Amino acid sequence: MTERFSKWDAAEHLRTLDDARLYLQACADEDPGDGSLIRAALNDVARSGNMAGLARKAGMSREGLYKALSAGGNPTFATVVRITRALGLRLHIA
């Protein structure tokens, strides 16, 4: 018997702002130090909601948001802050 696996997408499971906050915190804690996991988590959170609305709130184009958060993207810190604020979250350094 062959096992079948389906692709799991975190964006399908992020339903509330608290879900997004906890997910981003866990990814920040596990990030290897290059920001790649944080960028991927922001991508998941952005895709879980209204991407066009988030881009508008962040002062970006939808395409620019997709590009910045894509696997090959390298968003600036200012972009990460704008996206985080547009999501209704804030960065905290401890």
Side-chain angles (χ1 to χ4, degrees):
M1 178 181 208
T2 303
E3 289 188 50
R4 294 185 183 188
F5 297 95
S6 59
K7 185 175 179 182
W8 189 84
D9 186 357
E12 296 173 5
H13 303 279
L14 299 171
R15 294 185 177 94
T16 67
L17 184 59
D18 203 42
D19 290 344
R21 181 186 62 79
L22 291 169
Y23 179 61
L24 284 166
Q25 182 62 53
C27 290
D29 291 345
E30 297 298 321
D31 188 81
D34 62 0
S36 61
L37 193 54
I38 296 168
R39 184 214 31 84
L42 279 172
N43 184 25
D44 291 337
V45 171
R47 289 184 305 104
S48 74
N50 178 355
M51 192 72 116
L54 177 60
R56 196 170 29 259
K57 283 182 183 176
M60 304 174 69
S61 69
R62 188 175 62 85
E63 295 78 14
L65 182 59
Y66 273 113
K67 183 178 178 183
L69 298 180
S70 71
N74 189 18
T76 65
F77 185 70
T79 299
V80 170
V81 171
R82 289 193 337 240
I83 294 167
T84 304
R85 286 185 179 167
L87 287 167
L89 300 169
R90 61 188 177 106
L91 296 174
H92 175 81
I93 307 214

